[in-house]
Structure formats: C-alpha cells, structure tokens
Amino acid sequence: MKTSNAIRFGPAVLGLVLFSTTTASAHTVRSRPACGVVESIDVAARTVRFAPRNGEAPTELALTSRTKFVHNWHFAPAEELKNGTRAVVHYRTPLFGRPFVTKVVWVNGA
C-alpha cells in the first residue's frame, strides 16, 4: 500500500508549528512604548511630563507605586531621572482615569 504525502509529512509539519519559537517582548501587551524626552518630573506629585520624539504634543502621565525606573540596565530610584533626559516610557491608557507609566528606561553614554 502507498501512503499519501499528507500522512507522511503531516506529523513533521505539526511538530514544527508546535515547537517553533515566538517573539518575546520586554513590555506587557497592554503597555505602549514611546521614545522621547522627559520635560519635567515631579516625584512628590507623582507626575511626569513627556514629549514624544515623533513631534506630538507633550503628555502628562501619572506615576504609580508600581512604576519601574531602569537606568543603564539596573533598577534605579525615581530621583535619578532628570529633566531633559532621553528615555523610553512604557505607559498604559485605562478606560477611566489618567494614563500612567509602567516603566521608564534610559541609558547614559549610549
């Protein structure tokens, strides 16, 4: 008896599909990354004013207790982030309420 090509190659194709690698992302699916400049940061009021690089108007975002600050690939306190720093801000926009920052990443000397 002859076996068909589908029976012969079906398990191999199924194995490739199931065990293939997927892309990994460094931010959550719901957060949006934006590159730009931190115009001002007020740790006491828990706000940051951020100007995106693409020429959009500056946006005021809220800082939460869960906001992570990553400076030169190490966690850092919020006080290390200075005005005028180029950074990547990961933020979320909830259905109700203000947009808030989940993570701020910046590198000096890169």
Side-chain angles (χ1 to χ4, degrees):
M1 285 181 76
K2 282 185 149 184
T3 58
S4 69
N5 287 338
I7 293 174
R8 195 176 322 155
F9 295 113
V13 171
L14 181 63
L16 287 173
V17 169
L18 291 177
F19 296 110
S20 64
T21 60
T22 59
T23 58
S25 75
H27 59 89
T28 63
V29 176
R30 294 180 187 161
S31 70
R32 298 180 189 145
C35 298
V37 176
V38 175
E39 287 188 348
S40 65
I41 182 167
D42 188 358
V43 179
R46 313 257 335 142
T47 60
V48 62
R49 189 164 175 82
F50 181 74
R53 167 170 77 179
N54 59 4
E56 292 181 12
T59 306
E60 187 163 315
L61 304 167
L63 298 174
T64 65
S65 61
R66 299 182 67 179
T67 302
K68 305 287 187 228
F69 294 92
V70 181
H71 180 221
N72 289 334
W73 310 116
H74 298 287
F75 288 112
E79 291 78 22
E80 284 190 23
L81 184 61
K82 304 296 180 199
N83 297 342
T85 303
R86 287 183 176 193
V88 177
V89 173
H90 297 269
Y91 68 97
R92 289 181 61 182
T93 306
L95 189 59
F96 299 106
R98 296 172 42 181
F100 62 92
V101 178
T102 58
K103 182 170 48 173
V104 181
V105 180
W106 73 101
V107 178
N108 291 349

